[in-house]
Amino acid sequence: ELVASIKIDGTEDISLYEIEYILTEASKIIDYAYTCDIYNYNMAENTLTLLNSNRLGYNKDFLVRVNHFLKNAKMGRMGANAKDKRKMISQYGKEKKDIPGFEDAFEDEFGFSFKDFTEITVSLLELAEDKNNVFDTLYSTNIKEIKEHINNKISDDNINKIILYLSQVEREDYLIPPKPYRNVDVFPWRNNRELSLNRKPLIIYNDEIIFGYRSLLNAIYFLFEIINNATFKARSKKMKAYLGVLNRQSGEDFNEKAYEYLSTFPNSVVDKKVNKINGLKINDSHNNTLGDIDVLFISKKFKRIIVCEVKNFELSRNMYEMYNEYHDMFDPDNEKSFYNKHMKRVEWCKNHISDIVKHYNLEKKKWKIDYCFIVNEPLISNKAMKVNINAYTLEDIDKYIK
């Protein structure tokens, strides 16, 4: 990214040692950036100090703890038992619906059609295969070669737009990208950056287009992955609307999967989208709605009524995302955090146990109200920030409710 984006005058040779030195320095900068995010978002006590050697020193306990939980989360998801259980649970999910409007949204966002984008990217991969099908080298092509390969089926204007969208190009200042990009798009400690090699795998140098086969292939997959999971940062109205529908549908599908799976547990009563119990709406003292209960799980055996909030989240991959996860989910100072809102519904249930017993025709015995969050990916922030929250993936929920 760095070499492709800064202007090169070609007056000096660079050695492999110097390249490795640059990478080492970049690694240090990224480590410091992670630490700065920890202190910037008040996630841990600031321990930065200047050592006698004039180097920066800081307590790395929090960083080590985060890395430990992040590694465990990833390894846990990849384990054979977890995979088998996910496969078993997946049968309770609905078949994914095709959401209309993708191609219109794509063209509105990028200024070229999905068909033309596919034509160009597939052509680049085919040109690479023709030159060397071992895929262990860098490939070089040009606009003329691409046009000949596709038999001039796409206008010059659209070819240039697509190539430019996928390309790292020289700019005056590496740290100041041109509009519409943002400064954070050049920070390698952030994920889902528009100027990352994952998004722009081509390098423009003079009239050459240089790329790696796997880098291009990964970039194509990555683009459609972030669109599919609605984490793509859209600018156009149509793409924003499309992603909104996609995100809502994904959330509803996960809620339904959680409900269907919990309904398989014996000696239990399970309800979903609960907004009224025994004729009473779930409102506060001012008659304002507290929102639906996603899933209400009642264990007849253990006399437990568990109020479940179901959230379809992506796994946090860095300090910034982990802070956002904590702020949105658990931050006690954030009145709109999911935890604070959910606990109001839990409190309502505690004050209306008799209504719950009557509504669901339960035994007139002593019942306990509990709560939990059911998430599709392991949460890191609650463990890293030492927040005592009942949060479980669907694969692990049986450890809590049984």
Side-chain angles (χ1 to χ4, degrees):
E1 288 178 39
L2 178 64
V3 173
S5 303
I6 58 176
K7 291 198 170 182
I8 299 172
D9 58 21
T11 57
E12 292 182 33
D13 293 330
I14 186 168
S15 68
L16 183 60
Y17 167 80
E18 288 167 310
I19 291 173
E20 289 178 344
Y21 180 80
I22 290 172
L23 291 173
T24 302
E25 292 297 302
S27 179
K28 282 187 194 174
I29 291 169
I30 291 168
D31 282 345
Y32 281 131
Y34 279 133
T35 304
C36 286
D37 274 350
I38 292 172
Y39 299 141
N40 185 42
Y41 298 114
N42 297 316
M43 298 168 74
E45 181 185 355
N46 191 334
T47 60
L48 277 174
T49 184
L50 188 64
L51 303 175
N52 293 332
S53 59
N54 281 329
R55 294 179 300 152
L56 281 175
Y58 55 92
N59 189 321
K60 296 184 180 180
D61 287 351
F62 182 83
L63 196 59
V64 170
R65 191 162 72 244
V66 169
N67 288 335
H68 169 74
F69 289 127
L70 193 57
K71 181 181 177 181
N72 283 353
K74 289 178 178 177
M75 294 301 290
R77 298 294 278 169
M78 290 188 293
N81 291 339
K83 286 181 179 179
D84 289 344
K85 200 161 190 180
R86 264 200 314 278
K87 187 176 179 180
M88 182 271 290
I89 292 172
S90 67
Q91 66 181 302
Y92 301 107
K94 285 183 175 179
E95 189 174 333
K96 281 200 170 185
K97 300 176 184 175
D98 286 331
I99 297 173
F102 169 71
E103 294 195 14
D104 285 344
F106 190 95
E107 188 158 1
D108 192 43
E109 177 70 24
F110 299 108
F112 45 80
S113 70
F114 172 65
K115 181 182 176 183
D116 286 354
F117 178 78
T118 304
E119 185 75 44
I120 293 298
T121 51
V122 169
S123 295
L124 286 167
L125 294 171
E126 288 175 348
L127 284 168
E129 290 167 6
D130 291 341
K131 292 178 181 182
N132 179 348
N133 61 10
V134 180
F135 311 131
D136 60 350
T137 185
L138 286 174
Y139 298 93
S140 174
T141 187
N142 54 54
I143 296 292
K144 182 182 176 183
E145 195 172 27
I146 295 170
K147 287 173 65 177
E148 289 174 355
H149 189 80
I150 62 175
N151 296 319
N152 295 312
K153 286 187 285 187
I154 301 174
S155 69
D156 289 2
D157 184 47
N158 275 353
I159 293 174
N160 288 328
K161 280 182 182 178
I162 294 167
I163 295 299
L164 184 61
Y165 172 76
L166 290 168
S167 295
Q168 303 279 351
V169 294
E170 292 181 352
R171 53 182 180 266
E172 291 297 326
D173 190 324
Y174 175 77
L175 293 175
I176 306 177
K179 291 183 178 180
Y181 305 112
R182 306 165 303 156
N183 285 358
V184 293
D185 285 325
V186 304
F187 298 161
W189 52 91
R190 293 287 179 88
N191 287 93
N192 196 3
R193 299 178 297 113
E194 286 192 80
L195 291 174
S196 74
L197 200 64
N198 280 336
R199 297 284 295 278
K200 293 185 175 293
L202 309 184
I203 296 171
I204 301 291
Y205 183 65
N206 293 332
D207 294 327
E208 284 186 279
I209 300 167
I210 304 166
F211 64 98
Y213 186 93
R214 294 185 183 89
S215 295
L216 175 57
L217 196 60
N218 287 340
I220 298 166
Y221 283 139
F222 183 70
L223 176 62
F224 294 118
E225 180 187 0
I226 59 177
I227 291 175
N228 192 50
N229 63 28
T231 56
F232 177 80
K233 295 179 177 69
R235 295 189 179 92
S236 71
K237 287 183 178 179
K238 287 185 180 179
M239 182 59 86
K240 286 178 180 178
Y242 177 79
L243 294 177
V245 173
L246 200 65
N247 195 38
R248 284 193 297 277
Q249 187 63 55
S250 180
E252 288 173 11
D253 289 348
F254 185 61
N255 275 28
E256 185 65 23
K257 184 190 289 187
Y259 166 74
E260 293 288 348
Y261 176 57
L262 291 177
S263 297
T264 65
F265 286 69
N267 205 17
S268 64
V269 176
V270 187
D271 202 358
K272 63 180 178 178
K273 297 180 181 178
V274 181
N275 58 16
K276 189 185 289 187
I277 294 176
N278 197 31
L280 298 175
K281 291 183 178 179
I282 303 176
N283 292 345
D284 64 14
S285 57
H286 302 292
N287 211 31
N288 297 315
T289 181
L290 296 175
D292 294 359
I293 296 171
D294 288 337
V295 176
L296 189 66
F297 181 88
I298 302 171
S299 171
K300 292 182 177 180
K301 180 179 179 181
F302 297 106
K303 302 296 182 285
R304 292 176 72 200
I305 299 168
I306 305 176
V307 187
C308 306
E309 178 78 353
V310 183
K311 288 297 170 194
N312 187 35
F313 275 166
E314 292 293 312
L315 180 67
S316 295
R317 294 158 295 183
N318 55 41
M319 298 300 168
Y320 175 72
E321 291 183 359
M322 193 177 72
Y323 166 75
N324 286 335
E325 177 186 285
Y326 169 75
H327 180 71
D328 293 342
M329 283 287 287
F330 312 121
D331 192 346
D333 297 326
N334 178 14
E335 187 182 341
K336 295 182 179 180
S337 73
F338 296 123
Y339 175 79
N340 285 339
K341 290 194 288 187
H342 187 52
M343 293 314 291
K344 291 177 182 178
R345 291 187 285 271
V346 174
E347 191 62 29
W348 187 94
C349 289
K350 287 180 178 179
N351 294 331
H352 293 83
I353 291 180
S354 61
D355 291 300
I356 296 173
V357 170
K358 186 175 181 181
H359 183 85
Y360 292 102
N361 196 27
L362 305 175
E363 290 183 87
K364 292 181 180 180
K365 293 189 175 181
K366 187 174 181 180
W367 291 82
K368 181 184 178 183
I369 300 289
D370 278 329
Y371 81 94
C372 74
F373 286 88
I374 300 175
V375 291
N376 64 318
E377 295 283 359
L379 298 180
I380 306 299
S381 60
N382 59 324
K383 299 181 183 71
M385 304 288 286
K386 296 182 178 179
V387 180
N388 188 21
I389 296 289
N390 300 329
Y392 299 87
T393 61
L394 202 51
E395 295 84 6
D396 291 331
I397 192 63
D398 56 344
K399 298 174 183 176
Y400 179 70
I401 65 176
K402 281 188 175 179

